[in-house]
């Protein structure tokens, strides 16, 4: 087994600068990279930058006698385990779809016998243009894996799909492609970008018993926390998921610790430390019943309800924020029904966390499959569009990886 060898073809778009970060991540993840720049790409990043980051020769021209005699372009396209085109511009994808080979990059792409991953980035109109969509469909039919671009504000001032996904997401896609291709996976091993990190995630509701058959609970399904645990594990982290009662299956590769009450969750969190990161997604009950009855409470015939007195539960997040075992990156969640961001800003201070991920739970978020979140950090607020919970999880995992590397 060897580490993966990536041939990275950089197209000429503003997102080319992110190729530098991708090279860093691949190397950090144990892979090696050889870069090829189109002529356009050289207006955005220099061969010198990528040569320094990859510690490998950078190729720009078919007509470079020195390069060609040391390693011909056919060999270059074959010695890699995987070819990644990033950013894949509209022009580059059009040439790939048509089989045009008029420079080093396109010639390599036509000559390769290895899996190809294209990571598009372009203006939203260019991405949505029928010609580009036709080319993407052709490339997919030809067996090229084409990542969906992210949606959001663009360098050109417009908004929509067309942004390059974050480098950790691309590295994750590279690893998934490698492991899904039996020919490639039998040749390489890939530790993820979060390999060697221990990440603690809490998820689900807690149940606070009233008597042996009744309890106080909330509507948390655990879906968002489980998706985050899964996404972090996919990036190579060792994940401990401390979960309240949810009925969800444990995500693959995650060590789940089941608890029922807030106090049990606090003890399980403490037992799981130390951790590099803690993501506290659980909807912990604020109160528990002071003395939970040993026997089922019965109606006494007078019509008077039993008096339940409540006491406050330990705040696990705030406890971690003030603890000497505080993880380097501490992330809390805030489920709010009004003034979502204002409450989150105050909560970040009060709980001593680095980030608060705030979500508006006034709709069908609890138990639903989508989420709209705002990440409140020391530097400000980042608002994401409404996304499936799995996508929120993947982007958040990538953001966490970015923070640690
Ligand atoms: O104060 P509030 O419940 O809105 O705070 C939410 C955040 O605090 C979440 O990250 C939740 O997991 C955490 N929390 C906790 N222990 C509690 C209450 C909340 O860890 N007792």
């Amino acid at each position: 087994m060897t580490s993966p060898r990536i041939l990275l073809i950089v197209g000429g778009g503003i997102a080319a600068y992110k190729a530098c970060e991708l090279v860093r991540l691949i190397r950090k993840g144990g892979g090696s990279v050889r870069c090829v720049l189109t002529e356009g790409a050289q207006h955005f990043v220099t061969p010198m930058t990528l040569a320094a980051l990859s510690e490998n020769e950078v190729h720009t021209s078919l007509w470079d006698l020195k390069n060609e005699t040391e390693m011909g372009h056919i060999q270059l396209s074959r010695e890699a385990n995987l070819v990644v085109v990033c950013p894949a511009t509209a022009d580059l994808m059009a040439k790939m779809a048509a089989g045009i080979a008029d420079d080093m990059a396109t010639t390599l792409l036509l000559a390769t016998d290895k899996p190809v991953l294209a990571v598009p980035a372009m203006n939203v109109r260019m991405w949505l243009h029928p010609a580009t969509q036709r080319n993407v469909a052709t490339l997919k039919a030809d067996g090229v894996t084409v990542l969906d671009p992210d949606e959001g504000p663009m360098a050109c001032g417009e908004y929509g799909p067309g942004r390059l996904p974050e480098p950790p997401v691309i590295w994750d896609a590279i690893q998934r492609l490698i492991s899904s291709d039996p020919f490639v996976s039998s040749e390489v091993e890939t530790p993820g970008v979060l390999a060697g990190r221990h990440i603690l995630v809490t998820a689900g509701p807690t149940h606070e018993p009233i008597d042996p058959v009744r309890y106080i609970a909330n509507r948390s399904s655990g879906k968002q926390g489980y998706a985050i645990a899964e996404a972090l594990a996919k990036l190579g982290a060792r994940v401990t998921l401390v979960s309240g009662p949810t009925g969800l299956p444990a995500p693959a590769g995650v060590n789940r610790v089941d608890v029922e009450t807030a106090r049990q969750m606090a003890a399980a969190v403490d037992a799981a430390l130390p951790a590099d990161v803690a993501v506290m997604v659980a909807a912990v009950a604020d109160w528990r019943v002071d003395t939970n009855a040993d026997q089922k409470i019965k109606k006494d015939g007078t019509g008077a309800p039993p008096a339940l007195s409540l006491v406050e539960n330990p705040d696990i997040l705030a406890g971690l924020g003030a603890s000497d075992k505080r993880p380097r990156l501490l992330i809390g969640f805030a489920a709010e029904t009004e003034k979502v961001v204002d409450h989150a800003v105050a909560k970040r201070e009060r709980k001593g966390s680095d980030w608060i991920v705030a979500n508006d739970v006034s709709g069908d978020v609890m138990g639903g499959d989508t989420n709209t979140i705002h990440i409140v950090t020391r530097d400000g607020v980042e608002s994401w569009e409404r996304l499936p919970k799995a996508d929120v999880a993947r982007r958040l995992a990538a953001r966490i990886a970015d923070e640690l590397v």
Side-chain angles (χ1 to χ4, degrees):
M1 296 276 266
T2 61
S3 56
R5 292 184 304 276
I6 313 290
L7 179 65
L8 177 62
I9 295 181
V10 183
I14 180 63
Y17 76 94
K18 287 195 182 172
C20 301
E21 179 64 15
L22 181 62
V23 169
R24 233 166 56 80
L25 281 183
I26 297 170
R27 304 238 19 234
K28 217 175 153 66
S32 65
V33 197
R34 223 171 234 280
C35 298
V36 173
L37 274 79
T38 64
E39 201 188 329
Q42 294 169 58
H43 292 285
F44 295 97
V45 285
T46 68
M48 182 70 88
T49 310
L50 287 170
L53 291 170
S54 67
E55 292 187 73
N56 253 327
E57 198 137 16
V58 170
H59 303 257
T60 53
S61 167
L62 270 177
W63 316 116
D64 181 321
L65 192 57
K66 178 173 170 290
N67 272 351
E68 236 3 69
T69 46
E70 279 173 8
M71 188 190 288
H73 62 273
I74 300 291
Q75 191 192 347
L76 190 57
S77 78
R78 302 277 169 83
E79 66 131 42
N81 300 116
L82 182 72
V83 181
V84 178
V85 187
C86 174
T89 58
D91 174 67
L92 196 45
M93 286 198 295
K95 285 180 174 164
M96 287 167 75
I100 292 172
D102 63 353
D103 65 0
M104 182 66 157
T106 48
T107 303
L108 289 173
L109 283 161
L110 203 58
T112 190
D113 58 353
K114 295 298 159 47
V116 177
L117 172 71
V119 193
M122 67 197 70
N123 165 273
V124 54
R125 295 281 148 226
M126 292 171 81
W127 170 251
L128 295 174
H129 196 288
T132 303
Q133 289 303 313
R134 225 170 24 241
N135 291 331
V136 168
T138 303
L139 290 174
K140 287 183 175 171
D142 289 347
V144 173
T145 303
V146 183
L147 283 194
D148 283 332
D150 274 358
E151 197 169 316
M154 322 203 73
C156 54
E158 290 184 57
Y159 187 96
R163 283 165 59 97
L164 195 82
E166 290 306 316
V169 173
I170 304 170
W171 175 226
D172 184 40
I174 290 173
Q175 291 175 92
R176 268 187 285 140
L177 196 57
I178 288 173
S179 55
S180 67
D181 185 311
F183 296 104
V184 182
S185 62
S186 59
E187 292 169 4
V188 302
E189 53 185 338
T190 58
V193 277
L194 289 174
R197 312 282 191 173
H198 178 214
I199 303 189
L200 172 66
V201 180
T202 66
T206 62
H207 286 182
E208 307 296 331
I210 297 170
D211 66 19
V213 294
R214 303 183 180 97
Y215 55 83
I216 300 174
N218 60 60
R219 295 187 192 281
S220 166
S221 64
K223 282 182 191 169
Q224 186 64 83
Y226 274 56
I228 290 169
E230 182 170 7
L232 291 165
K234 278 200 180 136
L235 293 187
R238 177 166 73 82
V239 178
T240 304
L241 171 63
V242 178
S243 172
T246 64
L248 296 173
V254 163
N255 172 30
R256 185 173 72 177
V257 180
D258 289 318
V259 298
E260 215 173 291
T261 67
R263 285 192 294 178
Q264 288 167 0
M265 187 171 273
V269 163
D270 194 53
L273 295 172
D276 298 287
V277 182
V279 194
M280 314 294 277
V281 196
V284 184
D286 289 321
W287 302 282
R288 66 177 181 277
V289 177
D290 192 2
T291 48
N292 93 66
D294 292 343
Q295 304 298 331
K296 184 179 169 195
I297 303 172
K298 310 291 278 183
K299 286 185 272 192
D300 66 5
T302 66
L308 296 180
S309 89
L310 303 179
V311 286
E312 203 167 299
N313 270 325
D315 190 316
I316 309 168
L317 174 60
L320 259 190
S323 140
D324 53 4
K325 290 193 260 179
R326 185 190 193 281
R328 174 173 145 204
L329 180 61
L330 180 59
I331 304 171
F333 267 63
E336 304 289 352
T337 54
E338 48 149 17
K339 295 189 190 148
V340 178
V341 170
D342 289 352
H343 284 147
V345 169
K347 196 161 291 183
R348 197 185 81 82
E349 289 280 322
R350 196 167 68 242
K351 306 233 184 190
S353 64
D354 297 296
W355 303 350
I356 287 284
V357 180
N359 52 350
D360 186 340
V361 291
S362 54
D364 61 352
V365 166
M366 282 204 154
D369 290 317
T370 60
N371 209 350
T372 311
I373 67 158
H374 313 269
I375 304 183
V376 177
T377 69
R378 190 190 313 112
D379 304 323
V381 183
E382 209 178 286
S383 296
W384 293 359
E385 66 277 15
R386 184 181 168 101
L387 289 168
K389 285 182 175 173
D391 288 356
V392 168
R394 275 195 288 271
R395 261 168 80 166
L396 194 64
R399 187 80 171 64
I400 290 170
D402 244 3
E403 192 74 13
L404 296 186
V405 290

